[in-house]
Amino acid sequence: MPELRRAARLVINAPAIVESIGQGPMQLHPNLAAVFRRVDADTTTIGQRFPAVVRDLSTNGAFISAAPLPLLARVAVKFELKGVGPVDAVGCVRWQRAADCELPTANGTMTLPRGFGVLFESIPLEIRTAIAHLVARG
């Protein structure tokens, strides 16, 4: 199957802490508020904090193996990246895998774990640069 991702990924297994943080309120000018529309995520998970595992990582985001959070949920993710140090990132859940899934391969099957994909909104530039270097080295 061809790789369709925009950014190359680094396979890791880093224990992480994930917290659903939600989106702050927006104060818009009344003229803009009259025409502005926004998709709001399910807010029932805000404040939940739980252990997870970062399974793969790119400069743009990560796949996190854990119980899936609602689509568009904002999350804070904290984990240690070998050779880099602690990573604190904020992102948005862009997709989810509700259960483990088996796919056929040339050698049998491959199991993809349940979890969710996070698109990073905020990650320090030096961490993003370090991830880029790690991914380039393979």
Side-chain angles (χ1 to χ4, degrees):
M1 200 181 300
E3 180 64 50
L4 300 176
R5 295 178 177 143
R6 292 184 187 170
R9 297 260 163 177
L10 179 67
V11 175
I12 65 172
N13 276 314
I17 297 296
V18 175
E19 181 176 3
S20 181
I21 59 175
Q23 180 71 39
M26 275 187 165
Q27 299 300 322
L28 300 174
H29 185 277
N31 292 351
L32 183 56
V35 296
F36 186 82
R37 298 292 177 261
R38 179 185 179 131
V39 176
D40 292 317
D42 180 328
T43 59
T44 59
T45 62
I46 292 176
Q48 289 183 11
R49 189 177 182 147
F50 54 90
V53 177
V54 177
R55 298 286 184 168
D56 70 37
L57 179 66
S58 78
T59 56
N60 295 335
F63 171 70
I64 299 172
S65 180
L69 288 171
L71 297 175
L72 301 180
R74 286 187 77 237
V75 295
V77 181
K78 297 176 186 276
F79 62 98
E80 185 85 19
L81 185 56
K82 189 175 182 179
V84 175
V87 176
D88 289 321
V90 172
C92 176
V93 175
R94 294 296 300 262
W95 64 272
Q96 58 182 222
R97 188 178 302 124
D100 291 353
C101 174
E102 285 194 4
L103 295 179
T105 66
N107 301 326
T109 61
M110 170 176 63
T111 300
L112 300 176
R114 75 180 180 154
F116 52 95
V118 172
L119 176 65
F120 293 144
E121 294 175 14
S122 173
I123 187 169
L125 181 58
E126 62 273 9
I127 299 295
R128 195 179 297 261
T129 302
I131 293 168
H133 286 114
L134 289 171
V135 169
R137 287 192 306 208

